[in-house]
């Protein structure tokens, strides 16, 4: 089974792997996007110990949260067996708002509260385990953003608050205005996108004992695309496979992320149950130090400094 981790001293307990819902409505086979199919996938994840679901207001052009609500409506008791993470703050032209001409960010207190209340209504739930500010809004002060999050925490509509795609300075600033400390920073992190290791994000998380969440752990699928860029990684993974019980490149990629001492929680982005099951096995892979660096070298194309 997948292990569980408290993501911050004041934060919730999440599963080591998180199921991401970004593409749950994208499947070419529409039968896989019905409420019954979505609930079945959620329950299959739960059987593997993957109890944390990640979504966002904007996913599916504002349709995914409603789809989650449709699935949970089929079995209301299942809500108590999972943790729900969602995000707010990105607004784009869409069928609901044809008057919008340009995509923009808005994390004012009023907008955060309204978006959260909409998320609760669409998903048919009475609280959100973790609300994330999806991206920094350069036109909103930290005081204003914190006011919205603090109100939601006080009112019990969210159990904890965090951010996504914040740099270390933005995180520190907003955190300084919070009544209850932020519990995570959800950032892009993979063998092909190692920025959190270098830009201070992972170090900040360790200092604050906050576990980061890693979106796009397979680099938006680029790791599996079979390009010239990933050939060294594929070759190294093939070389290491037998040592780790026949592990595939994607399993080694998840294990590589999870080996980092900041304890990132990778977010799975697949609708295929066999891929989810394979990812679950990755949680038990403990890479040797030299093999972790070997994958780093294969990804970077050069040796360590």
């Amino acid at each position: 089974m997948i292990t569980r981790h408290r993501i911050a001293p004041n934060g919730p307990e999440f599963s080591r792997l998180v199921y991401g819902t970004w593409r749950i409505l994208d499947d070419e086979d529409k039968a896989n996007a019905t409420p019954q199919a979505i609930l079945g996938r959620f329950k299959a994840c739960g059987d593997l110990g993957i109890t944390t679901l990640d979504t966002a207001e904007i996913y599916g052009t504002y349709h995914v949260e409603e789809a989650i609500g449709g699935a949970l409506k089929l079995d209301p008791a299942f809500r108590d067996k999972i943790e729900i993470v969602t995000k707010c703050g990105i607004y784009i032209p869409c069928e609901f708002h044809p008057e919008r001409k340009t995509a923009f960010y808005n994390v004012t207190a009023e907008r955060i509260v309204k978006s959260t209340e909409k998320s609760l209504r669409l998903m048919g739930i009475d609280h959100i385990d973790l609300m994330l500010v999806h991206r920094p809004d350069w036109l909103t002060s930290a005081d204003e953003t914190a006011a919205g999050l603090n109100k939601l925490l006080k009112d019990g509509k969210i159990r904890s608050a965090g951010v996504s795609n914040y740099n270390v300075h933005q995180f520190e600033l907003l955190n300084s205005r919070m009544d209850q400390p932020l519990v995570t920073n959800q950032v892009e992190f993979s063998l092909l996108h190692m920025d959190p290791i270098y830009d201070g994000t992972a170090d900040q998380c360790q200092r604050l004992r906050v576990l980061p969440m890693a979106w796009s752990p397979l680099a938006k699928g680029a790791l599996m695309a079979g390009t010239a860029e990933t050939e060294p990684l594929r070759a190294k993974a093939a070389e290491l496979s037998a040592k780790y019980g026949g592990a595939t490149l994607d399993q080694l990629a998840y294990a590589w992320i999870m080996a980092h001492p900041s304890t990132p929680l990778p977010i799975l982005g697949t609708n295929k149950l066999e891929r989810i099951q394979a990812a679950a096995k990755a949680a038990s892979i403990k890479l040797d130090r030299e093999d972790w660096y070997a994958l780093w070298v294969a990804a970077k194309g050069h040796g360590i400094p």
Side-chain angles (χ1 to χ4, degrees), residues 130-145:
L130 171 59
M131 171 58 76
L132 304 179
V133 179
H134 207 154
R135 286 188 180 271
D137 172 14
W138 304 306
L139 290 179
T140 301
S141 71
D143 291 301
E144 175 76 11
T145 298

Side-chain angles (χ1 to χ4, degrees), residues 50-286:
I50 303 172
T51 62
T52 306
L53 306 181
D54 176 81
T55 191
E57 178 184 27
I58 195 176
Y59 286 177
T61 319
Y62 306 101
H63 284 285
V64 165
E65 287 184 328
E66 184 176 15
I68 292 172
L72 295 179
K73 188 176 181 180
L74 298 176
D75 186 357
F78 183 66
R79 167 65 181 102
D80 296 331
K81 299 178 181 179
I82 59 174
E83 305 83 41
I84 295 177
V85 181
T86 193
K87 315 175 198 70
C88 65
I90 303 178
Y91 304 95
I92 62 174
C94 64
E95 63 182 291
F96 305 110
H97 292 281
E99 76 282 2
R100 293 176 183 162
K101 306 302 180 185
T102 304
F104 59 90
Y105 304 138
N106 183 349
V107 294
T108 57
E110 180 181 16
R111 184 67 260 172
I112 288 174
V113 171
K114 285 184 177 179
S115 290
T116 300
E117 290 174 345
K118 182 182 71 171
S119 295
L120 290 168
R121 175 174 53 81
L122 290 177
M123 289 189 281
I125 58 179
D126 62 5
H127 73 275
I128 292 164
D129 296 282
L130 171 59
M131 171 58 76
L132 304 179
V133 179
H134 207 154
R135 286 188 180 271
D137 172 14
W138 304 306
L139 290 179
T140 301
S141 71
D143 291 301
E144 175 76 11
T145 298
L149 294 174
N150 287 332
K151 176 174 173 51
L152 291 168
L153 288 163
K154 181 179 179 181
D155 293 346
K157 294 179 179 179
I158 64 174
R159 296 285 173 84
S160 56
V163 296
S164 183
N165 305 300
Y166 269 48
N167 66 36
V168 294
H169 308 293
Q170 292 163 336
F171 189 101
E172 289 284 358
L173 174 58
L174 181 58
N175 207 29
S176 73
R177 303 300 200 269
M178 293 296 297
D179 295 338
Q180 180 176 313
L182 300 171
V183 302
T184 194
N185 191 359
Q186 186 179 118
V187 293
E188 184 176 3
F189 187 22
S190 72
L191 274 162
L192 298 184
H193 188 92
M194 301 183 187
D195 290 17
I197 295 177
Y198 305 112
D199 64 15
T201 298
D203 298 328
Q204 179 185 57
C205 287
Q206 286 194 75
R207 181 174 67 82
L208 298 175
R209 302 191 186 282
V210 164
L211 307 190
M213 301 177 74
W215 64 265
S216 200
L218 301 182
K220 304 181 182 71
L223 269 176
M224 316 306 295
T227 63
E229 179 187 16
T230 60
E231 175 54 34
L233 269 172
R234 294 199 306 276
K236 179 54 65 174
E239 178 186 326
L240 295 174
S241 177
K243 181 177 179 179
Y244 295 99
T248 56
L249 173 56
D250 55 336
Q251 290 174 322
L252 292 173
Y254 290 129
W256 186 89
I257 292 170
M258 290 187 282
H260 193 272
S262 62
T263 318
L265 307 181
I267 301 171
L268 312 181
T270 180
N271 287 327
K272 297 179 179 179
L273 183 56
E274 62 271 20
R275 294 277 302 278
I276 297 170
Q277 292 169 334
K281 293 179 181 178
S284 63
I285 296 175
K286 306 299 180 185

Side-chain angles (χ1 to χ4, degrees), residues 2-78:
I2 304 298
T3 58
R4 297 180 63 77
H5 296 261
R6 189 163 299 282
I7 65 170
N10 63 299
E13 190 177 85
F14 282 174
S15 53
R16 188 69 173 90
L17 292 168
V18 176
Y19 183 61
T21 64
W22 179 23
R23 293 191 172 96
I24 62 169
L25 299 179
D26 292 354
D27 203 302
E28 293 181 3
D29 184 352
K30 297 306 179 184
N32 291 328
T34 64
Q36 293 81 2
I38 291 171
L39 179 63
R41 200 148 59 246
F42 290 169
K43 288 188 173 183
C45 285
D47 290 342
L48 294 168
I50 303 172
T51 62
T52 306
L53 306 181
D54 176 81
T55 191
E57 178 184 27
I58 195 176
Y59 286 177
T61 319
Y62 306 101
H63 284 285
V64 165
E65 287 184 328
E66 184 176 15
I68 292 172
L72 295 179
K73 188 176 181 180
L74 298 176
D75 186 357
F78 183 66

